[in-house]
Amino acid sequence: MKKTNVKKMVLLAMLSAVAYLLSFLKTPLIPAAPFLSYEPMDVAITIGGFLLGPISACIIALVAALIEALTIGDTGIIGFIMNFLSSASFACTAAYVYKKKRDVFGAVTGLLLSSVAMILVMLLWNWLITPLYMGVSRPAVVSMLLPVFLPFNALKAGFNSALTLLLYKPLVSALRKTGLVPKASTKSGAKWGIYLLGAGLLLTCILLLLVLRGII
């Protein structure tokens, strides 16, 4: 039991560090809102949730958001709250569903529901907090919910889901070789459908991003 707890703590620390490092990869998505940027830290947090459960996903999200806020963040406590809520609503929802049904269907369903959860949570909290952060009226923020915040969070959820589908299996296989993750009890076989789904979703998100930027 003690050895298992040590491995879990190592995984938590490692995934928190990876999530923090991924927060450096910021990319603006919506030209109309350059203050909104995407970073793939939620991918590491979600994979951690798939491996360790929703509570662990929440811990990783909290640690990564806190370290980001204390080091490279420039939005203070409001940025910390919004980053944590975004990551936790996505990763914890996906991890909870996957914990109940640990198969391909559970993973895809979890990512779908987590996308909906994150979009709804962030629409609500942008309506609540953005007037304080941007110093604008609440009606002005309401006018931005559908044309700005909705597509941004939808694209963010799409990128998170696609990258999680593509990276989860290879990462788990690598971690099994290190002994940090126990070997699978049964042979699952190649899940080429997952890779095709992830690649298709990633391509769709990229095309939508190019359309929003007026490139195509």
Side-chain angles (χ1 to χ4, degrees):
M1 180 65 71
K2 185 176 181 180
K3 186 176 180 180
T4 301
N5 289 336
V6 170
K7 288 183 177 180
K8 184 176 181 179
M9 292 298 294
V10 171
L11 266 178
L12 282 172
M14 183 182 72
L15 290 168
S16 297
V18 171
Y20 168 66
L21 291 175
L22 290 175
S23 69
F24 284 83
L25 305 177
K26 294 182 181 293
T27 303
L29 293 182
I30 307 297
F35 59 91
L36 295 174
S37 60
Y38 170 74
E39 63 276 339
M41 63 185 296
D42 291 354
V43 177
I45 299 170
T46 305
I47 291 176
F50 279 3
L51 288 171
L52 303 171
I55 295 178
S56 295
C58 186
I59 293 172
I60 298 170
L62 181 63
V63 171
L66 181 59
I67 296 176
E68 180 187 10
L70 294 175
T71 54
I72 63 173
D74 56 3
T75 54
I77 185 65
I78 293 178
F80 163 71
I81 292 173
M82 297 296 278
N83 286 337
F84 170 70
L85 288 173
S86 177
S87 297
S89 60
F90 184 87
C92 294
T93 303
Y96 177 81
V97 176
Y98 187 67
K99 183 179 180 179
K100 298 295 182 182
K101 190 168 181 60
R102 300 187 67 86
D103 56 18
V104 174
F105 180 78
V108 174
T109 302
L111 290 170
L112 177 61
L113 293 177
S114 68
S115 297
V116 175
M118 188 189 76
I119 291 170
L120 294 177
V121 167
M122 296 316 294
L123 285 178
L124 172 63
W125 279 86
N126 274 295
W127 176 72
L128 290 172
I129 289 185
T130 302
L132 303 177
Y133 166 64
M134 295 183 62
V136 299
S137 65
R138 200 169 301 278
V141 173
V142 171
S143 68
M144 297 172 62
L145 290 179
L146 295 182
V148 175
F149 293 113
L150 177 60
F152 169 77
N153 286 290
L155 270 176
K156 183 177 180 179
F159 278 116
N160 285 343
S161 298
L163 293 173
T164 300
L165 290 173
L166 291 171
L167 297 176
Y168 176 70
K169 189 74 174 178
L171 180 59
V172 171
S173 297
L175 289 174
R176 284 189 178 126
K177 293 179 181 179
T178 67
L180 289 174
V181 175
K183 293 183 178 180
S185 57
T186 58
K187 293 183 179 180
S188 58
K191 297 293 191 301
W192 294 110
I194 285 293
Y195 294 123
L196 289 174
L197 178 61
L201 181 56
L202 181 61
L203 178 60
T204 301
C205 291
I206 292 173
L207 289 174
L208 287 173
L209 179 60
L210 294 176
V211 170
L212 288 172
R213 290 186 174 183
I215 298 176
I216 61 173

